[in-house]
Amino acid sequence: MPASILVVEDEPAIQELIAINLEHAGHAVLRADNAEQAASLVREVLPDVVLLDWMLPGQSGIAFARRLREDDRTRDIPIIMLTARGTEADKVAGLESGADDYITKPFSPRELMARIKAVLRRRSPQLTDETVVIDGLKLDPVAHRISAGDTRLELGPTEFRLLHFLMTHPERVHSRTQLLDQVWGDHVFVEERTVDVHIRRLRLSLEVSGHDRLIQTVRGSGYRLAATA
Ligand code: CA
């Protein structure tokens, strides 16, 4: 499950070590030396995970984590704090600032990868390889296949990603902006209308088995996938 991962770390050697390991595992890495740089990267592309050093020049990692949590757009990004501190009080402060996990330096690349995988599974189920089934509609991300009983459904790549995201986050209303961030991965260069176009195509493809009824329009808010029709 390749993900885009933002590494915020001011020590060049550690930043490099982390980035190399992540890239080796197939992830796309964004790098920042401080919170301001990280904030401007996040404005352009929403990462799947943030690895955040606690002690940064300027704004601290803790303060930046709070900033991410206060913004609707970045609220749900998994954050793993990296720190040399290891006392109980520090861990509590880190988790209270909104971090999902905590890793104490020095750590092994293997431990880091395991933690990343765990937060991705927890927070972004659409990035995992598990098959999702809702109301008889089955999506297999590995085989890239969608079926309803014996019927194979044909979807374009964007509709596939859109359906995967909706099926792994059912019963929640997603705004067009959120869908652009989650499915297109970049909210800046795509118009919101694009979402409507792909939702229409998705419904059309699902009509074959009648599962288009699962995709609901929530007037003035966005779209939702109903867990049952
Ligand atoms: Ca540091």
Side-chain angles (χ1 to χ4, degrees):
M1 44 170 176
S4 81
I5 300 177
L6 170 62
V7 181
V8 192
E9 167 66 71
D10 60 310
E11 283 162 66
I14 299 178
Q15 189 196 82
E16 180 73 11
L17 178 76
I18 295 172
I20 285 172
N21 277 285
L22 293 175
E23 279 163 4
H24 190 71
H27 298 299
V29 182
L30 301 161
R31 305 186 194 200
D33 300 329
N34 55 61
E36 280 322 306
Q37 224 177 32
S40 83
L41 283 172
V42 167
R43 273 194 292 276
E44 282 170 37
V45 180
L46 204 63
D48 298 311
V49 182
V50 177
L51 295 182
L52 183 57
D53 187 27
W54 177 309
M55 300 290 279
L56 292 168
Q59 190 173 45
S60 75
I62 294 269
F64 183 62
R66 279 205 195 95
R67 252 168 91 184
L68 292 175
R69 288 295 175 252
E70 280 162 10
D71 185 340
D72 274 351
R73 192 176 155 257
T74 55
R75 174 169 297 156
D76 293 331
I77 306 177
I79 300 172
I80 301 175
M81 295 288 300
L82 306 173
T83 179
R85 303 174 182 218
T87 70
E88 203 57 35
D90 290 335
K91 280 183 189 173
V92 170
L95 295 172
E96 276 178 353
S97 73
D100 294 82
D101 201 0
Y102 194 99
I103 187 163
T104 308
K105 295 176 190 172
F107 48 83
S108 70
R110 196 185 212 172
E111 183 186 1
L112 180 65
M113 294 305 154
R115 300 285 187 103
I116 289 173
K117 208 168 176 178
V119 291
L120 280 176
R121 196 178 300 125
R122 216 157 55 223
R123 298 292 293 270
S124 308
Q126 81 274 16
L127 294 171
T128 71
D129 294 340
E130 281 156 36
T131 295
V132 209
V133 184
I134 289 181
D135 198 29
L137 184 67
K138 183 173 157 193
L139 184 148
D140 177 348
V142 178
H144 221 269
R145 191 169 285 182
I146 296 163
S147 54
D150 292 335
T151 312
R152 272 278 295 279
L153 305 180
E154 298 299 332
L155 262 70
T158 305
E159 287 73 39
F160 187 93
R161 288 205 308 277
L162 185 57
L163 182 62
H164 193 194
F165 177 74
L166 291 172
M167 285 181 77
T168 47
H169 300 81
E171 293 298 324
R172 274 166 55 181
V173 181
H174 308 284
S175 70
R176 288 169 180 81
T177 311
Q178 284 166 341
L179 289 173
L180 283 176
D181 277 332
Q182 296 290 339
V183 178
W184 279 257
D186 196 328
H187 69 297
V188 176
F189 306 106
V190 190
E191 288 181 62
E192 293 202 350
R193 245 182 312 175
T194 307
V195 176
D196 302 328
V197 172
H198 288 277
I199 286 279
R200 205 175 308 137
R201 285 188 197 155
L202 175 60
R203 280 178 171 145
L204 214 59
S205 305
L206 296 178
E207 268 180 17
V208 180
S209 60
H211 283 99
D212 54 307
R213 67 182 184 272
L214 296 181
I215 314 287
Q216 302 175 338
T217 304
V218 183
R219 196 174 280 271
S221 303
Y223 296 100
R224 171 176 58 210
L225 185 134
T228 50

